[in-house]
Amino acid sequence: MKIDIANGKTGKTLVVVDVTKSDTILDVKKKHIKLKTHLYPTRMSYKLSLKDKTLAEDVKIGDIETLTDGSVLYFKDLGPQIGWGTVFLAEYIGPIAMYLVFYCSADCTYIYPDSKQSGHNFVQKLAMGCYVGHYVKRVLETIFVHRFSKATMPIGNLFKNCTYYWGFLGLYLTFINHPLYTVPSTETQVYVGLGIYLFGELGNLSTHLAFKNMRPAGTKTRVIPRPNGNPFCLLFNLVSCPNYTYEAIS
């Protein structure tokens, strides 16, 4: 049967594609692409009406009861896309590089005009290890742990997300690495803070691993998160997103 692909804004027919009941929405996209070669699947969105939700790529034409010969699918170009993993890596690698630049430049007068110190104190060294360690962990999780339900996001999110992560980093590292930075009055404060940080990091990692195990590789399965044998995951009983709770703690 034939399906009209119409512009989601104007309603004007763009292309007509031949489909079968066994075809999926992804197959429809591929046929559309043959006629509009500048597109790619993750950039394309189809709806049954302007008010409906976007149809998932694995939905079969035969499973859509209202779709018959001559029916219309409303198309929207989502714009240039970028992979979730790529965005995450850019968010996390940037702060690592920026932090190390400022850390190694603490005695450079072009960054700190009033600098008179020749090295970092223990707390500054510890802060560098914790901060860089946090983002190294996030990079490794992006590569080896995270399983994304969606392949891409609008490329504009790359700039928004990086501005957020990199911008707040600038506020933080300027003070902690400043030559006039004053350490806490007692070592107890430092070690208590370090313990809280490590607790939060371990909890965050534990919940990320739990999320990974809830979604088999190569699938988009969604399940209700529940605690497993890891005591850090008991927080699933109390909050919706324990990974963020632990990240806030750290």
Side-chain angles (χ1 to χ4, degrees):
M1 64 181 180
K2 295 183 181 295
I3 297 294
D4 287 5
I5 307 297
N7 186 301
K9 292 183 178 180
T10 65
K12 180 180 179 181
T13 298
L14 300 174
V15 295
V16 178
V17 296
D18 289 307
V19 299
T20 65
K21 290 187 176 182
S22 62
D23 282 342
T24 63
I25 293 299
L26 178 59
D27 293 324
V28 177
K29 290 182 178 181
K30 290 178 179 178
K31 293 177 181 181
H32 188 169
I33 290 171
K34 290 181 179 180
L35 302 174
K36 297 288 184 178
T37 55
H38 72 285
L39 299 172
Y40 44 90
T42 55
R43 182 171 175 164
M44 305 165 72
S45 167
Y46 293 139
K47 296 181 179 181
L48 292 173
S49 73
L50 299 181
K51 296 182 179 180
D52 286 328
K53 294 182 179 179
T54 297
L55 293 168
E57 289 187 340
D58 58 353
V59 172
K60 291 185 177 181
I61 297 299
D63 293 335
I64 306 175
E65 297 180 355
T66 58
L67 206 60
T68 59
D69 187 43
S71 292
V72 177
L73 287 179
Y74 293 92
F75 162 75
K76 180 180 180 180
D77 183 353
L78 300 176
Q81 302 287 299
I82 188 171
W84 274 76
T86 303
V87 174
F88 275 30
L89 291 175
E91 291 172 0
Y92 306 147
I93 292 176
I96 294 173
M98 290 175 60
Y99 198 106
L100 292 177
V101 167
F102 270 76
Y103 180 82
C104 295
S105 303
D107 57 352
C108 293
T109 55
Y110 64 88
I111 294 181
Y112 297 105
D114 51 355
S115 176
K116 295 180 181 179
Q117 73 177 47
S118 58
H120 298 84
N121 59 52
F122 172 70
V123 176
Q124 290 174 319
K125 293 177 181 178
L126 186 62
M128 182 276 294
C130 290
Y131 204 95
V132 172
H134 169 77
Y135 281 104
V136 168
K137 165 183 163 293
R138 296 304 300 269
V139 168
L140 295 175
E141 287 177 336
T142 299
I143 298 172
F144 299 110
V145 177
H146 292 325
R147 290 173 177 167
F148 302 103
S149 59
K150 294 184 178 180
T152 64
M153 66 173 75
I155 197 170
N157 287 3
L158 171 66
F159 305 102
K160 291 189 295 183
N161 292 13
C162 286
T163 298
Y164 169 78
Y165 278 93
W166 298 15
F168 276 99
L169 167 68
L171 293 175
Y172 172 81
L173 61 80
T174 300
F175 291 103
I176 191 67
N177 288 317
H178 198 282
L180 300 181
Y181 171 77
T182 303
V183 301
S185 58
T186 66
E187 288 188 353
T188 301
Q189 292 176 269
V190 176
Y191 289 114
V192 168
L194 177 61
I196 294 173
Y197 164 82
L198 293 174
F199 174 82
E201 290 293 302
L202 287 172
N204 181 258
L205 174 61
S206 297
T207 53
H208 283 164
L209 290 172
F211 282 132
K212 175 185 178 181
N213 294 331
M214 293 176 195
R215 173 172 292 158
T219 72
K220 297 181 180 180
T221 302
R222 294 177 182 270
V223 299
I224 297 175
R226 300 186 187 281
N228 53 24
N230 188 324
F232 283 105
C233 294
L234 291 174
L235 202 56
F236 277 115
N237 288 326
L238 302 177
V239 298
S240 299
C241 301
N243 54 318
Y244 291 123
T245 303
Y246 282 122
E247 187 165 1
I249 290 173
S250 69

